[in-house]
Amino acid sequence: MVQVRVNEGLLEGERVDNHYGGSFYSFKGIPYAEPPVGDLRFKAPKPPKAWGGVRSAKEFGPKCYQNDLFMNTGIVGEEDCLYLNVYTPEIKPDKALPVMFWIHGGGFFCGSGNDDLYGPEFLIRHGVILVTINYRVDVLGFLCLDTEDIPGNAGMKDQVQALRWVNKNIASFGGDPNNITIFGESAGGGSVSYHLISPMSKGLFKRAIAQSGASTSPWAQAVEPRERALALARSLGFYSEDDKELYEFFKNQPKESIVCIPVAPTFSEAFRGGLEINFTVVNEKKFGDNERFFYGDMLDAVSNGVHEGVEIMTGTTTEEGLIIFGDLEVTKKLLESARAFPESFISKQLAFTVPLNQQLKMGREFRKFYFKDQVNIPNDWDKWMNFVSMQMFGYPTMQWVRHCAKAKKHKLYVYKFSCKSKRNMIAVLRGLTEMLGDRQVTSHADDIAYLFNPKLMKLKVDTASEEFKLIERVATLWTNFAKYGNPTPDDSLGVKWAPYTLEKQEYLDIGNELKAGTAPDAEETQFWDKLYEKYVL
């Protein structure tokens, strides 16, 4: 039994033996905000209320209500879901410990901070505190009417509130509130890069790691969010466009009626490549004294508005686009769309800014570059994967990196993640092993199992194995960055990871070996640059 006092009251956690060495203290299901139910649905979160007596912190809080398509667990969770978990090696260390604050992925429509995917056993061995959180997802987290009642970004404001709670309370767990590193993958990586430019997040963290996600990604920026909200209302038989009537309608709908329903405001969305997300981060309008999470021009914000002095690490995996593939029939449909419709190469985000005739021309140029104008079904799945990898992750990440680097105000580390071992489970989970044959890949989200111990996957690893050496190496890079702002502060890993500059474009290939390099994906990036200059800018 172990107890810790936080601002709201007394928590009782537990000491846990670590299968991979030592032990740690675990505190689960800590409320960091009031339940966002009733009149608080769609609103910015409010700080939690105090409790009397001792509150047990031995069980996870409910996941936020969702349809978990990635893990195929179906409809799970509750609206009362704003809980976080704290894992610490020591309650009263001699020196306050660095804090790593994890933001889960899941496309802004699913996921949680629980240990089904994010077990703490690997990172905790390296002398850091790990915090994982839930935040509202899908409609409940990201519906936007562009009104004071539903301004959008509720899920991002949950993340801010969780960060504020950690700043106030982490010292009670042995943590240093002045040394917090936020990190996340996919939608979590996109979230991290938004926190770097959000006025609400300024001063709440010292370092940031954005894995396979950027605020410049097409799926991380909502296009015409009010139209999407109206489309959702119409799909439920409600046709009023009056702001107050819409608010009352959405506020009073059972959660089962409004979450996980696919909506498409325009017919053209049927022909878009990559993963399109219904409800995501919006450019917020101003209403009274309400705090806005993000507003303004994205590229200007990244060029000029990244919080000064914050050290940054970001990168992608080598085969990101594999995540969108399903069985053979799904793969055939993706390729048939690529062959028949040039506009399928144009993201939803671009579709609203580039005229249709230009979309067709741009799409044909993409098809020629990746397929040489001949789409073979289903054999050319890897060419479509390469395109989607750049569209969804690679090019937006390099856009973000280069615009940030122009200011020369930040130490910025860039990587490509290419580790290959039995830890790479995404292809298996997606049912793609037959399609891949003997080919080894590092899909989107394959980096997670090198940082976390996912209980759901039952991937126990021998501490004497080569896999565990890879885990230790990756965990060392990440925790070194959290401790020192430098992933290779000494020669112990046999490589020096140089910060990125526009002149040299340094990066690190994090594979079964560590290799320093320059100009990642140079040919593809240059091609995308030319197309953007020609059709978009």
Side-chain angles (χ1 to χ4, degrees):
M1 183 182 76
V2 58
Q3 294 184 346
V4 161
R5 182 169 293 281
V6 295
N7 280 1
E8 295 77 31
L10 203 57
L11 289 167
E12 184 170 293
E14 56 189 340
R15 184 175 175 272
V16 179
D17 289 329
N18 190 347
H19 173 77
Y20 299 101
S23 63
F24 59 91
Y25 298 95
S26 167
F27 297 84
K28 301 172 182 174
I30 306 170
Y32 67 83
E34 280 191 44
V37 298
D39 289 339
L40 293 183
R41 181 187 271 186
F42 308 122
K43 304 291 190 185
K46 292 187 178 297
K49 293 178 178 175
W51 58 79
V54 179
R55 181 186 177 96
S56 176
K58 298 176 184 178
E59 301 289 338
F60 291 112
K63 296 181 179 183
C64 291
Y65 190 74
Q66 61 189 263
N67 183 6
D68 191 342
L69 297 176
F70 287 136
M71 302 309 297
N72 294 318
T73 53
I75 305 290
V76 295
E78 303 291 341
E79 278 195 77
D80 178 2
C81 64
L82 300 186
Y83 299 91
L84 56 77
N85 315 298
V86 179
Y87 309 100
T88 179
E90 293 288 344
I91 298 293
K92 295 180 179 178
D94 294 335
K95 182 182 177 183
L97 298 169
V99 180
M100 298 188 74
F101 179 99
W102 175 253
I103 304 171
H104 69 75
F108 297 113
F109 61 82
C110 66
S112 80
N114 296 3
D115 66 2
D116 50 2
L117 284 181
Y118 308 117
E121 286 83 358
F122 300 151
L123 291 171
I124 208 80
R125 287 163 42 84
H126 292 263
V128 298
I129 290 177
L130 176 65
V131 178
T132 67
I133 69 168
N134 296 347
Y135 58 91
R136 281 172 285 179
V137 292
D138 203 276
V139 173
L140 295 169
F142 292 93
L143 187 72
C144 173
L145 281 175
D146 283 332
T147 63
E148 187 170 7
D149 287 320
I150 309 182
N153 295 336
M156 302 307 295
K157 294 167 187 174
D158 292 344
Q159 296 176 18
V160 173
Q161 171 57 24
L163 262 175
R164 288 172 174 169
W165 189 95
V166 168
N167 272 261
K168 289 178 182 175
N169 290 291
I170 203 65
S172 298
F173 300 88
D176 183 354
N178 297 312
N179 188 5
I180 295 173
T181 297
I182 60 172
F183 70 133
E185 185 270 343
S186 193
S191 296
V192 165
S193 68
Y194 267 112
H195 286 296
L196 282 161
I197 55 178
S198 170
M200 289 182 70
S201 311
K202 191 170 186 178
L204 294 177
F205 58 94
K206 186 173 185 178
R207 302 184 176 109
I209 306 172
Q211 302 170 219
S212 300
S215 58
T216 43
S217 299
W219 46 265
Q221 301 176 59
V223 179
E224 297 292 341
R226 181 178 170 85
E227 285 302 315
R228 195 165 294 277
L230 293 174
L232 175 61
R234 289 193 295 270
S235 73
L236 297 169
F238 189 80
Y239 289 87
S240 172
E241 295 190 13
D242 179 83
D243 290 346
K244 289 296 180 185
E245 290 179 4
L246 279 163
Y247 170 61
E248 289 298 324
F249 172 76
F250 282 123
K251 185 179 76 168
N252 293 305
Q253 284 296 300
K255 61 183 184 295
E256 297 83 0
S257 298
I258 57 173
V259 171
C260 317
I261 298 173
V263 292
T266 67
F267 174 75
S268 69
E269 286 195 13
F271 304 117
R272 299 295 159 200
L275 177 67
E276 303 293 6
I277 294 172
N278 287 328
F279 300 98
T280 182
V281 184
V282 303
N283 188 337
E284 268 185 84
K285 294 185 176 179
K286 180 68 175 169
F287 300 104
D289 295 329
N290 287 359
E291 289 185 286
R292 289 186 286 175
F293 178 76
F294 172 75
Y295 55 91
D297 178 79
M298 176 61 68
L299 292 181
D300 178 65
V302 178
S303 297
N304 304 302
V306 175
H307 304 324
E308 201 159 342
V310 176
E311 293 147 335
I312 303 163
M313 194 167 117
T314 190
T316 58
T317 69
T318 47
E319 285 89 17
E320 295 274 10
L322 197 73
I323 195 72
I324 74 159
F325 287 89
D327 59 25
L328 187 60
E329 290 307 309
V330 171
T331 300
K332 285 180 180 178
K333 286 179 181 177
L334 290 171
L335 289 168
E336 284 166 0
S337 178
R339 184 166 67 182
F341 303 105
E343 67 269 36
S344 67
F345 288 83
I346 310 302
S347 70
K348 175 180 67 187
Q349 183 190 28
L350 288 182
F352 280 84
T353 56
V354 178
L356 180 58
N357 66 323
Q358 297 293 87
Q359 290 179 42
L360 294 171
K361 291 177 182 177
M362 190 178 183
R364 290 188 186 104
E365 291 203 46
F366 274 128
R367 189 164 60 194
K368 185 174 182 180
F369 181 84
Y370 283 95
F371 291 94
K372 308 296 184 263
D373 265 340
Q374 182 62 47
V375 182
N376 296 305
I377 302 171
N379 296 333
D380 281 348
W381 64 266
D382 56 341
K383 295 175 182 176
W384 185 245
M385 179 194 70
N386 292 338
F387 164 73
V388 171
S389 295
M390 283 298 283
Q391 181 209 44
M392 292 175 62
F393 305 103
Y395 190 67
T397 295
M398 290 315 299
Q399 268 188 312
W400 202 100
V401 163
R402 290 181 297 174
H403 276 81
C404 179
K406 282 179 187 175
K408 298 185 177 180
K409 293 179 180 178
H410 303 86
K411 198 157 62 164
L412 180 61
Y413 293 93
V414 176
Y415 68 83
K416 290 285 285 191
F417 193 93
S418 62
C419 285
K420 291 176 174 62
S421 76
K422 292 177 182 177
R423 306 295 293 177
N424 297 33
M425 289 291 292
I426 298 302
V428 176
L429 292 171
R430 301 290 290 172
L432 304 175
T433 49
E434 185 178 347
M435 185 177 84
L436 289 174
D438 294 332
R439 178 169 174 175
Q440 288 187 300
V441 293
T442 309
S443 171
H444 182 73
D446 268 334
D447 49 340
I448 288 173
Y450 294 86
L451 290 165
F452 295 98
N453 180 29
K455 305 297 194 301
L456 194 67
M457 297 182 190
K458 300 182 173 128
L459 290 172
K460 281 192 177 175
V461 57
D462 185 345
T463 55
S465 67
E466 288 299 314
E467 289 171 45
F468 195 72
K469 288 180 184 176
L470 294 175
I471 290 167
E472 280 289 273
R473 185 186 295 156
V474 174
T476 297
L477 289 168
W478 261 243
T479 54
N480 275 350
F481 181 77
K483 292 172 184 175
Y484 313 115
N486 182 346
T488 55
D490 55 35
D491 298 325
S492 60
L493 293 175
V495 67
K496 270 291 182 187
W497 185 350
Y500 180 95
T501 61
L502 287 176
E503 293 73 28
K504 293 185 178 179
Q505 301 179 55
E506 301 93 333
Y507 80 104
L508 186 70
D509 179 1
I510 303 173
N512 293 46
E513 296 179 10
L514 299 179
K515 297 176 184 175
T518 56
D521 302 319
E523 182 185 359
E524 278 187 276
T525 301
Q526 288 168 11
F527 170 75
W528 282 71
D529 282 343
K530 287 177 183 175
L531 255 63
Y532 266 63
E533 288 169 10
K534 187 174 180 179
Y535 294 107
V536 183
L537 302 178

